[in-house]
Amino acid sequence: MSMEQAMMKEEWLYDFTFVGDPQLSPDGSYVVYVKRVINEEKEYASNLVLVNRATGIQHDFTSGAGKYKDQSPRWSPDGKTLAFVSDRSGKNQIWLISTVGGEARQLTELTNGAVDPIWKPDGSALLVLSKDGVEKEEDARKPLVVNDLHYKADGKGFLDGKHTQVMLVPVTVDSEQVEALTDAPFNHSNPSWSPDGSAIVYVRSRYEEQGSYMRTDLFIQHLKDEGEPEQLNKKGGSFVAPRWSPDGRSLSFIGHFFEHEGATLNKVWTVDLASKKFACITEAVDLECTDALISDMHWGGASPGAMWNKDGSGVYFLASEQGNTGIYYAGVDSTIRQISGGDRHHYAFHYVAHVNEAAVAISDPVNIGDIYTLSFSGDRVEEQCISTSNAEVLQSYPLSKPEMFTYEGEDGLEIQGWLMKPVGFKEDKTYPLVLEIHGGPHMMYGNSFMHEFQLLAAKGYAVLYTNPRGSQGYGQAFVNGCRGDYGGGDYEDLMTGVNAALKTYAFIDEERLLVTGGSYGGFMTNWIVGKTDRFKAAVTQRSISNWQSFYGVSDIGYFFTKWEVGSDLDENPEKLWHHSPLKYVDQIETPLLILHSENDLRCPIEQGEQLYVALKHRRKKTMFVRFPDSDHNLSRSGLPELRVERLKHLAGWFDTHLGESE
């Protein structure tokens, strides 16, 4: 394969269209969704697409795809107006556009912008989210004064003391009155109106408080009552996406009480607002009730939560199981069943109870993602695809369809994995194998499109990816299985997976094994090369090398190390060092490429720096690539040109070191 052909494949990314956040109109006759592209300037841009379900005709409803970012469309209760977020005025603000045509008009001009519009039931106003405080001129010479434990966040940088508040915005043309409904010094999100419009519920993040790591509380606020908002979860926990029942007497929401700290399964809950009694309606199933499936290609929009049916007898929600994310139904009587599934990734979902239909975004390993409608009738679901976003593009590129297999771990635990054959596979040839390790660790690989995997398969590599213990999708005991034992049973699961693949697929060349992963997968890549020399080359991405320093430099280190590794710096620093790949650097002989983002605050770049210097000082084969203007999410939502550069370095390192071994 020529270098020109190889470079073309990394740049597939520029040709793809990404669709998400589908919204069904109140009467079910239209769907609007967001279409995102990479424009000629190699920047993301997006616009709204409107689909007439009766005719199948769809057209670009706003013109942002070439220049602006139009997103978060939301139908007015009468279906005549769409509210959406756009940066066309310079920063994100709320805009309105009539669904029968005409130009969009800007509704908000808030100093700190506005996002997440939610219509009042009578259509007279919107709830939006906006930061409080005033803009200040930045002075690069002015010191940053820090008093809080939580003072930085990946993707946001250093926190500026501003907090996201819930605002009430009338939609009348002549009204400029905006009312702040919250003012507490915490971030607020997920607002929702009561059916009669007299009250709202929202989520308040409390992790700014010492010891309240990742805590999110539910509050109800009665708009005509000057009293304090009422907190529902007095016993703590982490709860999101509250939804009112049709009669206004109950709420549904997603979350847990940290029974297993950060590895606790999310469940679907309801609360009776009269008695304040909580009920977990998915307690009977060992199911993660969110989308935990990883992809580097698409996005879904805000979490839909658990959406009530018309008579309030149950809710619909997304859940992750056995490498798939589907739509499930849970009755208030705890009856649970899957509604829409298959070997697919349902990554966005909007349900309209009045018509008992939904709009959904779905991906699979050979389809990036498209919009579907679902019509429910008892246990039957009628599905219709209403977009073909990448059909023509994907016909031009060779793709590999993964094969699922299971294998038994060293202690008898069943592990699920997938093997992608190289594009153009021939029975009489042998091929190198790349082991891909996911991050989290409490996420999962599965039946979703992965550009990185397809790229490697197109370059002649077999690709193996598995869900070792610690992954989501296999129950509470499984997801909890790696905590306190990083590099133990999870490492054995991965190595046993490689052995199982070698035994099952005779075409894999055992002398040409490669490994890569990001975040937790980067930690595990570092760990693997410190424990075995069986891999010819490795690429570690946004990794962890030293848990002792991670404790103090990561935006989550001060609680994540205790939750996951089983200790913190004060309690047992030796345990942190025992699980640190840097401890075993003398044993690393595998050529190791280190990819890291300059602005990564989740796994800060000093983690890569320590490993690089230790390796280079020992004259080991290594190289360090630092990506500017990028955070922990470079591979998924980073600048398009840098995403392409990352893939070039990844594949180039493997190509080079396989060439050296031949």
Side-chain angles (χ1 to χ4, degrees):
M1 183 179 293
S2 71
M3 180 59 69
E4 181 179 359
Q5 287 175 311
M7 289 181 66
M8 283 295 293
K9 293 188 182 300
E10 279 89 358
E11 295 170 350
W12 286 359
L13 182 69
Y14 300 144
D15 298 332
F16 293 141
T17 297
F18 317 93
V19 299
D21 204 3
Q23 299 289 310
L24 188 64
S25 65
D27 65 359
S29 59
Y30 289 88
V31 173
V32 64
Y33 65 88
V34 179
K35 179 177 70 175
R36 181 180 293 176
V37 299
I38 298 172
N39 63 21
E40 293 181 356
E41 287 75 37
K42 302 295 187 295
E43 296 176 345
Y44 298 110
S46 58
N47 71 303
L48 309 185
V49 178
L50 188 66
V51 183
N52 184 318
R53 293 183 64 194
T55 64
I57 296 174
Q58 59 182 283
H59 64 281
D60 290 343
F61 197 60
T62 64
S63 56
K67 186 176 181 182
Y68 306 120
K69 295 183 181 70
D70 296 341
Q71 54 194 321
S72 303
R74 298 295 181 263
W75 294 93
S76 62
D78 63 7
K80 295 181 179 180
T81 306
L82 279 169
F84 65 99
V85 177
S86 180
D87 64 350
R88 58 183 68 192
S89 64
K91 67 176 61 174
N92 282 335
Q93 299 285 359
I94 308 301
W95 292 67
L96 301 178
I97 187 170
S98 169
T99 54
V100 296
E103 293 296 319
R105 70 177 178 90
Q106 186 173 341
L107 178 66
T108 63
E109 296 184 12
L110 295 172
T111 300
N112 295 312
V115 295
D116 295 344
I118 306 293
W119 286 91
K120 191 175 182 180
D122 65 6
S124 65
L126 290 163
L127 296 177
V128 305
L129 299 178
S130 182
K131 283 193 171 184
D132 53 22
V134 297
E135 289 186 322
K136 299 177 182 178
E137 290 188 15
E138 293 193 13
D139 186 345
R141 296 168 297 175
K142 190 174 182 179
L144 176 70
V145 179
V146 175
N147 284 306
D148 298 321
L149 178 62
H150 179 69
Y151 70 93
K152 62 183 179 180
D154 187 67
K156 297 179 181 179
F158 294 117
L159 304 180
D160 55 11
K162 298 176 182 177
H163 296 94
T164 302
Q165 306 293 349
V166 181
M167 317 292 284
L168 178 65
V169 183
V171 298
T172 53
V173 176
D174 59 350
S175 175
E176 296 182 357
Q177 182 180 2
V178 177
E179 180 183 358
L181 300 182
T182 61
D183 61 4
F186 302 102
N187 288 316
H188 299 77
S189 61
N190 300 158
S192 178
W193 288 97
S194 65
D196 63 3
S198 66
I200 62 172
V201 61
Y202 51 79
V203 172
R204 179 179 290 176
S205 300
R206 300 291 285 272
Y207 51 79
E208 293 94 333
E209 294 183 339
Q210 183 85 9
S212 297
Y213 314 133
M214 307 307 288
R215 175 175 172 176
T216 53
D217 296 329
L218 301 175
F219 282 81
I220 284 184
Q221 189 163 328
H222 296 277
L223 300 187
K224 294 183 180 180
D225 185 353
E226 295 184 1
E228 290 295 314
E230 178 184 12
Q231 183 180 338
L232 294 175
N233 57 316
K234 299 293 178 60
K235 296 181 181 180
S238 177
F239 298 100
V240 297
R243 293 277 184 175
W244 294 84
S245 63
D247 62 9
R249 297 178 180 177
S250 301
L251 289 170
S252 67
F253 43 91
I254 309 291
H256 57 75
F257 283 102
F258 292 109
E259 293 92 336
H260 302 275
E261 296 178 318
T264 310
L265 292 183
N266 284 288
K267 299 287 188 178
V268 178
W269 297 77
T270 62
V271 61
D272 178 87
L273 295 177
S275 67
K276 305 301 187 293
K277 182 179 179 180
F278 274 47
C280 180
I281 62 174
T282 59
E283 186 63 34
V285 291
D286 211 7
L287 185 66
E288 168 61 24
C289 298
T290 64
D291 176 12
L293 183 47
I294 294 172
S295 172
D296 60 1
M297 289 300 288
H298 48 63
W299 49 278
S303 170
M307 306 182 74
W308 292 89
N309 61 8
K310 188 175 181 179
D311 64 6
S313 61
V315 295
Y316 295 95
F317 58 96
L318 294 175
S320 301
E321 190 173 24
Q322 300 284 325
N324 301 305
T325 295
I327 299 172
Y328 291 70
Y329 169 84
V332 294
D333 61 357
S334 297
T335 301
I336 299 170
R337 64 180 184 272
Q338 188 181 73
I339 297 297
S340 180
D343 291 336
R344 302 184 298 176
H345 183 186
H346 296 61
Y347 63 93
F349 171 52
H350 178 242
Y351 171 74
V352 175
H354 177 69
V355 294
N356 203 27
E357 295 183 321
V360 191
I362 302 176
S363 172
D364 65 44
V366 293
N367 292 287
I368 294 172
D370 272 307
I371 307 300
Y372 293 73
T373 57
L374 304 178
S375 299
F376 304 147
S377 178
D379 292 337
R380 293 179 57 253
V381 178
E382 182 179 334
E383 178 179 298
Q384 181 180 10
C385 182
I386 61 172
S387 75
T388 52
S389 305
N390 293 284
E392 184 175 343
V393 172
L394 291 179
Q395 286 179 356
S396 304
Y397 299 126
L399 296 175
S400 175
K401 187 174 182 178
E403 300 174 9
M404 192 278 288
F405 68 100
T406 60
Y407 60 94
E408 191 174 282
E410 290 292 325
D411 57 1
L413 194 65
E414 185 177 77
I415 311 295
Q416 187 177 25
W418 291 262
L419 193 287
M420 293 173 62
K421 292 179 179 178
V423 170
F425 171 78
K426 295 180 180 179
E427 295 282 354
D428 59 347
K429 289 188 62 178
T430 60
Y431 296 90
L433 174 76
V434 178
L435 170 64
E436 288 269 5
I437 309 170
H438 69 65
H442 310 307
M443 302 293 287
M444 71 179 185
Y445 276 148
N447 291 302
S448 195
F449 193 95
M450 289 291 293
H451 178 220
E452 180 176 315
F453 297 1
Q454 291 290 352
L455 171 70
L456 292 170
K459 287 179 171 292
Y461 294 96
V463 180
L464 170 66
Y465 50 104
T466 73
N467 285 329
R469 68 193 67 200
S471 303
Q472 286 285 12
Y474 309 92
Q476 183 62 77
F478 193 96
V479 75
N480 201 49
C482 69
R483 291 179 62 226
D485 188 39
Y486 273 36
D490 47 359
Y491 167 75
E492 295 297 339
D493 291 345
L494 291 164
M495 295 301 96
T496 305
V498 173
N499 295 337
L502 289 168
K503 182 178 180 180
T504 304
Y505 299 97
F507 62 82
I508 298 173
D509 186 345
E510 187 172 3
E511 299 301 316
R512 294 190 292 164
L513 302 179
L514 308 150
V515 60
T516 186
S519 195
Y520 165 82
F523 156 80
M524 187 54 71
T525 299
N526 297 340
W527 186 266
I528 285 171
V529 296
K531 294 294 181 179
T532 177
D533 297 337
R534 72 187 304 190
F535 294 92
K536 291 298 181 184
V539 179
T540 184
Q541 308 176 54
R542 56 191 185 280
S543 72
I544 296 169
S545 65
N546 183 349
W547 287 109
Q548 289 185 337
S549 62
F550 179 87
Y551 167 86
V553 298
S554 169
D555 64 340
I556 62 172
Y558 51 88
F559 64 87
F560 190 84
T561 52
K562 174 68 172 179
W563 282 7
E564 295 294 320
V565 185
S567 181
D568 58 30
L569 200 58
D570 299 328
E571 181 179 323
N572 187 357
E574 281 305 310
K575 182 169 177 57
L576 298 185
W577 184 238
H578 172 73
H579 292 280
S580 296
L582 197 63
K583 178 180 179 180
Y584 309 99
V585 69
D586 281 330
Q587 299 166 208
I588 297 177
E589 299 299 334
T590 306
L592 181 64
L593 172 65
I594 302 169
L595 305 180
H596 225 115
S597 296
E598 297 284 0
N599 300 334
D600 189 337
L601 297 181
R602 183 60 40 86
C603 297
I605 198 166
E606 63 87 32
Q607 294 286 305
E609 290 173 331
Q610 289 189 65
L611 185 59
Y612 173 74
V613 169
L615 288 169
K616 204 69 176 177
H617 189 227
R618 290 161 173 78
R619 295 181 172 84
K620 308 279 188 174
K621 288 186 178 180
T622 187
M623 186 167 74
F624 192 16
V625 182
R626 306 169 64 121
F627 293 86
D629 303 317
S630 303
D631 58 28
H632 196 64
N633 291 298
L634 169 64
S635 66
R636 298 177 285 266
S637 58
L639 296 172
E641 286 183 295
L642 293 182
R643 290 176 66 181
V644 168
E645 284 297 313
R646 182 189 71 87
L647 292 169
K648 288 180 179 179
H649 281 288
L650 171 68
W653 187 259
F654 287 158
D655 289 346
T656 297
H657 288 89
L658 281 187
E660 289 179 354
S661 65
E662 292 174 354

